[in-house]
Amino acid sequence: MVETNQHIIVHGDQMVCLDPGGHKVFNKLFKQMSSIGPLRNIKYIFFSHQDPDIVAAANGWLMTTDAKGFLPAVWMKFITHFGVDTMVIDRITPIKDEGMVIDLNGCPLKVIPAHFLHSPGNYHIYDPISKILYSGDLGASVDAEIVVVEDFDHHIQFMEGFHKRYMPSTKALKMWVNTARELDIETIAPQHGSLFKGREMVNRFIDWIDSLECGVDLMGDRFLIPE
Ligand code: FE
């Protein structure tokens, strides 16, 4: 099972959970969130895209809390296949392609488009107060076994294979780089693996993405027919 990070943003007495994960982490996360504040403080649940490690427990979250969900509009008709009941589906707001701002108790969280990184309908969240960018699958690392990246060059081996195979388009990476350079980012927090903390490390990561080729751009001109 791929390990996932669950991120919580708290502002005053309101909380948002970013990509709550699947059934196997539901109980544990539920307990941890209750230790931060009462469940009625969970105002929003954000689903960055449609993958099972993000939306599989969506029904549980919507049934046990009063939170509103946010999901990319292009995935709205698919989430019911994960068992989201008709009685709670209206609590999910579809996020249009251009993104949006979610008001968390006065903190304007920017829901920034990051389409095709890797999902066709995909968003990152920038918190302008903590200056943390939640980057979903972008920046994901596997088996690095550290919470915060200390040696960027050493860390590349834990990210490279995933990014080259799962990220479909170099153009989408470049679009993200151009947007990320406009933001004042102190930390990049992905959905899997280690965090990039401090401006120097954040810039190393942005530069690495800028230099990367991925997905279809690494493929030839045809698919080979298996013998
Ligand atoms: Fe994913």
Side-chain angles (χ1 to χ4, degrees):
M1 188 171 98
V2 64
E3 286 183 3
T4 54
N5 300 323
Q6 282 75 45
H7 299 276
I8 316 294
I9 304 173
V10 182
H11 192 59
D13 61 359
Q14 291 188 1
M15 295 190 248
V16 53
C17 178
L18 312 184
D19 289 346
H23 300 292
K24 290 198 173 184
V25 296
F26 179 81
N27 284 341
K28 203 172 176 187
L29 181 61
F30 205 82
K31 265 188 218 144
Q32 285 186 341
M33 286 186 73
S34 327
S35 72
I36 300 172
L39 286 176
R40 65 174 180 278
N41 289 7
I42 305 174
K43 185 94 170 142
Y44 307 118
I45 311 278
F46 168 74
F47 304 103
S48 66
H49 61 291
Q50 85 294 359
D51 275 348
D53 58 336
I54 288 167
V55 301
N59 197 54
W61 284 103
L62 293 169
M63 292 294 251
T64 50
T65 70
D66 293 326
K68 284 185 184 164
F70 288 91
L71 178 81
V74 297
W75 296 119
M76 278 302 288
K77 287 198 167 137
F78 293 81
I79 196 166
T80 46
H81 287 275
F82 277 110
V84 172
D85 284 282
T86 46
M87 58 200 285
V88 293
I89 192 78
D90 290 343
R91 296 224 319 272
I92 302 180
T93 299
I95 310 167
K96 290 183 189 157
D97 273 353
E98 58 267 32
M100 64 187 293
V101 175
I102 297 175
D103 178 80
L104 182 71
N105 205 19
C107 175
L109 300 173
K110 308 251 184 204
V111 182
I112 300 174
H115 303 309
F116 300 102
L117 294 171
H118 63 91
S119 167
N122 190 57
Y123 299 89
H124 294 173
I125 286 212
Y126 177 69
D127 172 355
I129 295 180
S130 66
K131 297 184 167 57
I132 298 173
L133 178 73
Y134 173 63
S135 62
D137 278 318
L138 195 75
S141 55
V142 184
D143 296 333
E145 291 177 3
I146 46 163
V147 176
V148 177
V149 177
E150 281 160 21
D151 179 341
F152 189 85
D153 293 315
H154 177 73
H155 191 67
I156 288 173
Q157 62 187 302
F158 304 112
M159 302 189 286
E160 198 167 23
F162 173 81
H163 284 76
K164 284 184 169 174
R165 181 63 181 85
Y166 282 79
M167 296 297 159
S169 151
T170 308
K171 181 185 172 181
L173 293 181
K174 300 279 186 215
M175 287 176 72
W176 179 83
V177 166
N178 292 336
T179 302
R181 292 205 199 281
E182 286 175 22
L183 293 168
D184 180 15
I185 306 172
E186 278 179 10
T187 299
I188 292 178
Q191 194 212 349
H192 310 277
S194 321
L195 308 175
F196 304 90
K197 233 176 159 154
R199 284 169 207 280
E200 198 187 319
M201 204 52 88
V202 164
N203 286 334
R204 284 293 316 267
F205 177 71
I206 296 172
D207 290 344
W208 181 70
I209 290 294
D210 199 12
S211 70
L212 198 68
E213 281 212 308
C214 68
V216 289
D217 301 305
L218 296 171
M219 295 168 83
D221 63 354
R222 73 192 61 208
F223 295 106
L224 297 177
I225 299 164
E227 295 283 338

